[in-house]
Amino acid sequence: QSWSRGMSYCLHSESHLDTGPIYVRENGKLHVVNQGAGGIQDVTPKTRPFRLFSRSFSVELCMNREDDRARRQRTDHFIFTYTKEGNLRYSAKSLFSLVLGYISDNVDHIDSLIGFPEQIAEKLFSAAEARQKFTEPVTGLRALQKFTEAYGSLVLCSLCLRNRYLVISEKLEEIKSFRELTCLDLSCCKLGDEHELLEHLTKEALSSVKQLLLKDNSLSDAGLRRMTAPVRVLKKGLENLLVLDLSCNPKITDVGIGYLLSFKKLNCLDISGTGLKDVDAVIKRIQMQIGLVHSKVPLKEFDHSNCKTEGWAEQTVLQWEQAVMEAIKPQDNLRSRTAALRFYGKTRRIEEVVKCTVVEAETKASGNLQFYKEKVQNCHLPLQKEVAGSHELKNNRKRALAEQERERTSKQKHLCLTVEDWDLLNTY
């Protein structure tokens, strides 16, 4: 009775729950408890269907969700391929690939890459480049700076921006972030004397530049004075320059050529198409002071085929150019207007970019002023007379250099250390 009272109390306390029939085994027999009377009946149990979930349970497929971002990320973890029989097969990506993809998606949040293995860094740069992370306005610049600070010339050792002044104007800060460049081609960009990129050339980050092409950039003597001031006074800046192209800049005069004499390591110089007044005096001056000889034939160093964009960021520069071209592409309404003008026989005003070919033709007509440094040929069995004659030539050359140096310092003292030069140097 005590047992039946306890069971009845349990049933009445939980009567609000539909627990179904309760079975009790007693003396080797199975009994069912009658909930209404609170007693026990000896009946054979009736089998009921087994339910894993309640009646109100429903299943919703993930494909029906509006936000399928999580599903896309999960499918990115697999590689889908087709077999020879045409069956679709998938395999899971490696953990390295998954981590590489995650970091490249968040590459702008990296604190530093200094000391990180360059083999892995190159793969990380390629993954971020494939996702076009370096084309983004703010985050792209921040990510690119992390790579250039750590790897320098590996990111880019040579940069060709010939006739790409739109890329320079749109991606100036990104271009200024490149370090340890050895070759830089800025031909036909019409930068002028006051452009930020020309001022950046004198910084320590570009002291490694050996080949600089500034053809047709509207430069004058003032621009050359600013560009050569660190070399002339502080012995810094473009002191390692070997090849310099200043052709097709008609505002450069004899005074501006005097600033170039501080580049003692120059091997090749092109000043064709400049506004020189006394060409013969300039040729002699260049030959005597920096040892460059006037070339009768065009030099291959100035055919603009040696300078190409090379490095990890080669495709990044192409992406910048494509983005600029897409931005200036004519819209559909402008195309329809052009088609209407053609239909009615009217001509549209064409504004074409002035190419370097026109300037090159003018340069050929005005004459070639390219200089190179002669290679010293060593003679294995020199004669005594030839040796004595060479000593005399060297002494005469030293005397001539000393005389010209005295004349230069007496006539052009204002070119060395003027007040403007000191004000300019104080900015560095």
Side-chain angles (χ1 to χ4, degrees), residues 140-203:
L141 173 60
R142 186 163 57 245
L144 187 62
Q145 288 175 347
K146 301 301 180 183
F147 282 95
T148 54
E149 289 173 0
Y151 305 103
S153 60
L154 292 177
V155 179
L156 211 63
C157 62
S158 178
L159 178 59
C160 180
L161 295 174
R162 177 181 170 89
N163 203 22
R164 293 177 173 86
Y165 51 89
L166 292 178
V167 178
I168 295 176
S169 61
E170 291 293 330
K171 298 294 180 179
L172 178 60
E173 295 299 325
E174 286 81 353
I175 294 172
K176 289 169 62 177
S177 67
F178 292 123
R179 296 168 175 261
E180 301 178 10
L181 291 175
T182 57
C183 181
L184 181 59
D185 190 353
L186 299 174
S187 304
C188 307
C189 290
K190 305 290 184 180
L191 298 181
D193 296 332
E194 304 294 333
H195 201 275
E196 295 182 23
L197 190 55
L198 291 179
E199 182 181 356
H200 182 67
L201 291 177
T202 61
K203 303 295 182 181

Side-chain angles (χ1 to χ4, degrees), residues 6 30 40 48 51 129 184 194 200 215 277 298 319 360 388:
L30 191 63
I40 301 177
R48 297 185 60 185
R51 291 184 180 272
E129 189 178 56
L184 181 59
E194 304 294 333
H200 182 67
K215 180 179 183 179
K277 297 179 180 179
Q319 290 176 359
E360 290 173 358

Side-chain angles (χ1 to χ4, degrees), residues 147-400:
F147 282 95
T148 54
E149 289 173 0
Y151 305 103
S153 60
L154 292 177
V155 179
L156 211 63
C157 62
S158 178
L159 178 59
C160 180
L161 295 174
R162 177 181 170 89
N163 203 22
R164 293 177 173 86
Y165 51 89
L166 292 178
V167 178
I168 295 176
S169 61
E170 291 293 330
K171 298 294 180 179
L172 178 60
E173 295 299 325
E174 286 81 353
I175 294 172
K176 289 169 62 177
S177 67
F178 292 123
R179 296 168 175 261
E180 301 178 10
L181 291 175
T182 57
C183 181
L184 181 59
D185 190 353
L186 299 174
S187 304
C188 307
C189 290
K190 305 290 184 180
L191 298 181
D193 296 332
E194 304 294 333
H195 201 275
E196 295 182 23
L197 190 55
L198 291 179
E199 182 181 356
H200 182 67
L201 291 177
T202 61
K203 303 295 182 181
E204 186 179 357
L206 293 183
S207 60
S208 59
V209 173
K210 296 182 178 180
Q211 185 176 359
L212 180 60
L213 307 178
L214 295 173
K215 180 179 183 179
D216 189 21
N217 269 285
S218 303
L219 297 177
S220 65
D221 297 339
L224 293 185
R225 182 177 65 84
R226 292 171 59 89
M227 191 174 65
T228 59
V231 181
R232 287 186 287 115
V233 181
L234 301 177
K235 304 300 180 183
K236 295 181 179 180
L238 298 172
E239 56 180 353
N240 297 316
L241 201 59
L242 300 178
V243 180
L244 179 60
D245 185 3
L246 293 173
S247 59
C248 305
N249 290 289
K251 294 182 181 180
I252 296 178
T253 63
D254 304 28
V255 179
I257 301 301
Y259 298 122
L260 303 179
L261 302 179
S262 57
F263 295 132
K264 301 299 182 181
K265 296 182 180 180
L266 268 184
N267 290 334
C268 297
L269 175 64
D270 190 0
I271 53 174
S272 306
T274 54
L276 302 180
K277 297 179 180 179
D278 194 349
V279 178
D280 295 334
V282 171
I283 292 176
K284 292 180 181 179
R285 190 176 180 185
I286 292 176
Q287 184 173 359
M288 295 300 294
Q289 296 194 16
I290 55 180
L292 297 182
V293 182
H294 182 213
S295 177
K296 304 298 181 182
V297 295
L299 301 176
K300 63 178 182 179
E301 284 80 4
F302 301 109
D303 59 359
H304 298 272
S305 61
N306 296 328
C307 185
K308 299 178 181 179
T309 303
E310 297 178 356
W312 296 352
E314 180 179 354
Q315 295 297 323
T316 302
V317 178
L318 293 178
Q319 290 176 359
W320 294 345
E321 186 177 1
Q322 291 175 359
V324 171
M325 296 304 295
E326 288 291 333
I328 64 174
K329 184 181 291 186
Q331 301 176 358
D332 295 336
N333 55 356
L334 297 180
R335 293 178 181 177
S336 60
R337 185 181 303 174
T338 304
L341 291 176
R342 289 179 180 177
F343 178 79
Y344 288 106
K346 296 181 180 180
T347 57
R348 182 173 59 91
R349 181 183 177 184
I350 301 176
E351 297 180 357
E352 296 182 352
V353 180
V354 180
K355 301 294 182 181
C356 291
T357 54
V358 180
V359 184
E360 290 173 358
E362 295 177 356
T363 304
K364 291 180 181 179
S366 61
N368 180 35
L369 285 177
Q370 295 181 353
F371 300 84
Y372 68 98
K373 184 170 289 186
E374 289 182 327
K375 296 181 179 179
V376 180
Q377 297 180 355
N378 297 325
C379 185
H380 297 286
L381 297 173
L383 298 176
Q384 293 181 356
K385 293 182 180 179
E386 293 178 354
V387 173
S390 63
H391 284 301
E392 290 180 0
L393 289 175
K394 288 181 180 179
N395 293 330
N396 293 334
R397 186 174 179 180
K398 288 181 180 179
R399 285 193 295 270

